[in-house]
Amino acid sequence: MREPSKNLNPLFTPAEVEKMGLTWLVAAAIVTVIMWQIPIGNYILYPFSILATWFHEMGHGLMALMLGGQFQQLEIFSNGSGVAHYTLSRTWGYLGIGLVAAAGPMGPPIAGASLILASRSLKTASLSLKILGGFLLLSTLIWVRSWFGFVAIPLLGLMILGIALKTPLWVQGFAIQFLGVQACVSTYHQLDYLFSYTAGPLGLSDTGQMQRYLFLPYWFWGLLMAIASLIILVQSLRIAHIEK
């Protein structure tokens, strides 16, 4: 029996296949940002919106833990919103409050970049999918305390674990990159929130808290994080594909 060719598509070189994969990811990022601005897009991208909310709120909670505080619970709701309940150590003062506030909006792009970079190796891509799926399940047991969260977060975790355990490695590699891109561009899901001082009944927005405790206006922090998210996405894709 003849050994199967390592090149899945003999019409294209590995470099061309790599370039096409990058093109699809960039196109997916642009389409996602556009679709999030129209009503029907929110329905189509609903699972990614929930995952982005999980990244966002976990960013708040985990940063509070890193700074010596407590991550008490996490609530995620069917409208795509979420709340992380935490306490902070007084050691860091205003800086700690500002860092925890920033960790929410910056949580998804940082997590997304980590997923994209993990795709440089198919083995690490597969491992990263398993870790992400497992951590979604673990976070449900430890922190999630809303009925919708009890259903949605484990379901997302099981779906990701299913991809990690039941699909070919090349599918896993693309999946981890796609999830990473979705996480990075989720910063642009609610630009009005990023550039708002208040968040309705919840009080101050994340950027509003940064203005109060780190000084400088909320729109400055919103603009800084929007630019940082784009840079993080571009650089992670460049490293994963061009410098591979």
Side-chain angles (χ1 to χ4, degrees):
M1 181 181 294
R2 186 178 65 180
E3 182 179 352
S5 173
K6 294 182 179 180
N7 189 350
L8 296 178
N9 190 341
L11 297 177
F12 302 101
T13 66
E16 290 172 328
V17 172
E18 188 79 15
K19 184 177 179 180
M20 285 190 293
L22 178 59
T23 301
W24 276 106
L25 289 170
V26 172
I30 295 172
V31 170
T32 298
V33 172
I34 295 173
M35 290 186 67
W36 259 328
Q37 311 310 315
I38 58 178
I40 192 173
N42 285 305
Y43 291 104
I44 296 173
L45 299 172
Y46 186 70
F48 302 110
S49 297
I50 298 302
L51 185 60
T53 298
W54 180 80
F55 279 128
H56 181 113
E57 302 304 338
M58 288 296 294
H60 286 312
L62 294 178
M63 179 58 75
L65 278 177
M66 291 173 60
L67 297 180
Q70 294 181 338
F71 186 6
Q72 297 166 321
Q73 66 180 48
L74 169 62
E75 294 180 290
I76 293 181
F77 308 106
S78 59
N79 64 358
S81 64
V83 180
H85 300 269
Y86 53 84
T87 59
L88 286 173
S89 169
R90 295 183 178 180
T91 305
W92 295 86
Y94 287 170
L95 177 61
I97 299 174
L99 288 174
V100 172
M106 293 308 300
I110 291 174
S114 300
L115 297 178
I116 292 171
L117 293 176
S119 69
R120 299 185 74 189
S121 163
L122 291 179
K123 289 184 178 180
T124 57
S126 179
L127 177 61
S128 296
L129 279 174
K130 293 171 185 174
I131 291 173
L132 176 59
F135 196 46
L136 281 159
L137 298 178
L138 182 63
S139 71
T140 304
L141 295 175
I142 300 176
W143 293 299
V144 174
R145 294 296 179 269
S146 62
W147 286 111
F148 178 78
F150 273 129
V151 175
I153 301 306
L155 184 59
L156 286 172
L158 290 173
M159 290 173 63
I160 291 173
L161 283 175
I163 295 173
L165 297 173
K166 299 296 183 179
T167 63
L169 284 176
W170 71 267
V171 174
Q172 297 177 43
F174 184 81
I176 199 71
Q177 287 193 347
F178 184 78
L179 289 174
V181 169
Q182 294 297 311
C184 286
V185 300
S186 68
T187 301
Y188 305 95
H189 182 198
Q190 293 181 316
L191 282 176
D192 55 341
Y193 173 78
L194 202 61
F195 289 96
S196 298
Y197 182 69
T198 60
L202 296 177
L204 293 179
S205 66
D206 293 327
T207 52
Q209 290 190 55
M210 295 174 73
Q211 173 176 316
R212 171 174 287 186
Y213 297 107
L214 296 181
F215 312 108
L216 299 177
Y218 67 89
W219 57 263
F220 169 83
W221 296 113
L223 180 62
L224 183 64
M225 289 190 287
I227 294 174
S229 298
L230 179 60
I231 292 174
I232 288 172
L233 172 61
V234 171
Q235 289 299 318
S236 60
L237 287 174
R238 181 179 64 82
I239 293 172
H241 284 270
I242 299 176
E243 296 184 2
K244 193 169 182 180

